[in-house]
Amino acid sequence: MAGEKGSHISQQFDAELQDVKHQVLAMGGLVEQQLADAISALVESDSEKAERVVTTDYKVNAMEVDIDEECTQIIARRQPAASDLRLIMSVIKTITDLERIGDEAERVARQALHISDDKDLSRQYVEIENIGNLVRQMLNKALDAFARTDAEAALAVAKEDRKVDIQYEAITRQLITFMMEDPRSIPRALNVLWSARALERIGDRAVNICEYVIYLVQGKDVRHTSLEDLEKGI
Amino acid sequence: MAGEKGSHISQQFDAELQDVKHQVLAMGGLVEQQLADAISALVESDSEKAERVVTTDYKVNAMEVDIDEECTQIIARRQPAASDLRLIMSVIKTITDLERIGDEAERVARQALHISDDKDLSRQYVEIENIGNLVRQMLNKALDAFARTDAEAALAVAKEDRKVDIQYEAITRQLITFMMEDPRSIPRALNVLWSARALERIGDRAVNICEYVIYLVQGKDVRHTSLEDLEKGI
């Protein structure tokens, strides 16, 4: 009987952990949507869509607070150890980054509110869209690696950040040239530059999420470890 | 006897919690030093000091990983509840922000490596120093509020962020005017602008730390709550 009761409790516990994981993925889904909307609002100068991103950010924040609370309760009630505890720790860290990605998406949307359709900067918008697509894919794959607890996939995503950095540097150089040639464009060009910067940071945060997945699988903290060293470990 | 053993264990547990708190404050002290050095490296065009900030950042990272590990072990061994668990959760969140403040300080230091003594921008350097002093004070007081678990002090610090935002907007406007008047200055002016941005973000992160202190004291999550509403609760 005791054994049955034990397995019953552990089934409940498993269900709770699964539930937390689902909540993280739901939060991730909302953040992905916010990011997609922010980028298209900027690129298409769609101020209604931009407003929607800004007013929806509170939902992301509320999800973070709820999941944090859920994790605290699980720790207090279930006293998780080993991989269960690592899952909870990964969740706590992951949702912090997801919330901040939501903030960056909101920043991009706010830039979109300042920018009206601007033919001069059309080439830069294409670049913003490219960087945007890269980081959207990174975020999507990072959440996928989290869902499947797949360290190899997580490492592959982390490697893609290099591409984002290269594109970010290219667009920065373009915008500087642009501003120097036409100083009146400076305020508008800076809006595009801030957006590029926000997207670049989202790439960094997607890498953070990947590092938590690797920690979850391997049980060791791999933040601040080079990609080369990480690769040897997997 | 059981009682004595119990109090012995609880004394050890208290000592562990105190030790974690001290580690957070030590990490905070190092981050404060990094921030002070980064600002003076930028303002005084001291590239040696800037290099030192960049090469010291790994220490901040290592402290974060150690404290995280310590917290995970305390959760697994001690199964903390109520205010003890809240302390651990606050620590986990606080060190994430401290580590990111360290990263922002490193960013400021990297800008200092690009900027040689620049008479034209001397007024802007004064402004950077002003913003820098404001956020240094905020960080110092936030860590103080954490050390003394003082929610009222934490709220007072959080309110100061408004001043940082106002100064940041002022310096941004100045720099835009400066760039429009002298387009050749754009690359240098952007370095100053990135530094101002990094300092503004540090202010936001000091506010985060204050919010964890309030959570620790009040047992409720106050992130994403307005300052006015916070004030009513304290």
Side-chain angles (χ1 to χ4, degrees), chain B residues 8-155:
Chain B
H8 183 59
I9 287 176
S10 113
Q11 271 176 25
Q12 275 186 351
F13 181 23
D14 280 348
E16 283 177 21
L17 291 176
Q18 284 306 315
D19 180 56
V20 166
K21 252 183 112 165
H22 285 143
Q23 284 188 57
V24 172
L25 293 171
M27 182 180 175
L30 177 58
V31 170
E32 281 189 273
Q33 189 58 53
Q34 288 280 91
L35 176 57
D37 287 347
I39 295 165
S40 75
L42 182 74
V43 173
E44 295 156 18
S45 308
D46 183 340
S47 59
E48 255 179 66
K49 200 181 262 179
E51 283 284 5
R52 207 162 56 233
V53 172
V54 172
T55 56
T56 306
D57 185 55
Y58 82 95
K59 285 192 194 167
V60 176
N61 298 343
M63 284 171 118
E64 186 200 11
V65 171
D66 285 350
I67 298 171
D68 248 339
E69 177 61 28
E70 182 84 19
C71 287
T72 311
Q73 285 189 11
I74 288 179
I75 292 174
R77 263 202 326 260
R78 301 295 187 179
Q79 296 146 7
S83 69
D84 295 336
L85 180 53
R86 285 208 305 276
L87 173 61
I88 297 292
M89 299 297 274
S90 305
V91 166
I92 291 171
K93 299 273 178 185
T94 297
I95 59 175
T96 306
D97 279 291
L98 283 177
E99 192 269 332
R100 302 281 160 81
I101 292 175
D103 286 347
E104 299 288 356
E106 192 194 335
R107 278 191 191 101
V108 173
R110 284 189 189 279
Q111 301 303 333
L113 291 174
H114 292 302
I115 298 174
S116 51
D117 200 13
D118 196 328
K119 292 282 174 290
D120 296 345
L121 283 162
S122 57
R123 182 172 159 207
Q124 278 72 32
Y125 286 131
V126 175
E127 304 273 350
I128 285 282
E129 202 165 15
N130 288 341
I131 267 205
N133 286 335
L134 268 182
V135 295
R136 279 179 59 194
Q137 281 167 28
M138 280 182 73
L139 176 59
N140 185 270
K141 289 184 199 162
L143 289 167
D144 227 53
F146 172 80
R148 294 182 285 110
T149 331
D150 184 341
E152 271 184 64
L155 178 62

Side-chain angles (χ1 to χ4, degrees), chain A residues 61-62 64-65 68 71-72 75-76 79-81 85 89 92-93 95-97 99-100 104 107 168 176 179-180 183-184 186-187 190 193-194 197 201 204-205 208 212 215 221 223-224, chain B residues 61-62 64-65 68 71-72 75-76 79-81 85 89 92-93 95-97 99-100 104 107 168 176 179-180 183-184 186-187 190 193-194 197 201 204-205 208 212 215 221 223-224:
Chain A
N61 299 343
E64 186 200 11
V65 171
D68 248 339
C71 287
T72 312
I75 292 174
Q79 295 147 9
L85 180 53
M89 299 296 274
I92 291 170
K93 300 273 179 186
I95 58 174
T96 307
D97 280 290
E99 192 270 330
R100 303 281 161 82
E104 298 289 356
R107 279 192 189 100
Y168 170 69
I176 290 176
M179 290 190 275
M180 290 175 93
R184 287 165 311 163
I186 290 175
L190 278 179
L193 194 51
W194 293 137
R197 180 84 155 192
R201 288 289 170 86
D204 292 343
R205 294 189 176 280
N208 292 345
Y212 309 140
Y215 161 75
D221 202 318
R223 287 171 298 176
H224 320 303
Chain B
N61 298 343
E64 186 200 11
V65 171
D68 248 339
C71 287
T72 311
I75 292 174
Q79 296 146 7
L85 180 53
M89 299 297 274
I92 291 171
K93 299 273 178 185
I95 59 175
T96 306
D97 279 291
E99 192 269 332
R100 302 281 160 81
E104 299 288 356
R107 278 191 191 101
Y168 169 70
I176 290 176
M179 289 190 275
M180 289 175 93
R184 287 164 312 163
I186 289 174
L190 277 180
L193 194 51
W194 292 137
R197 180 85 156 190
R201 289 288 170 88
D204 293 343
R205 293 189 176 281
N208 292 345
Y212 309 142
Y215 161 75
D221 202 318
R223 288 172 296 178
H224 321 303

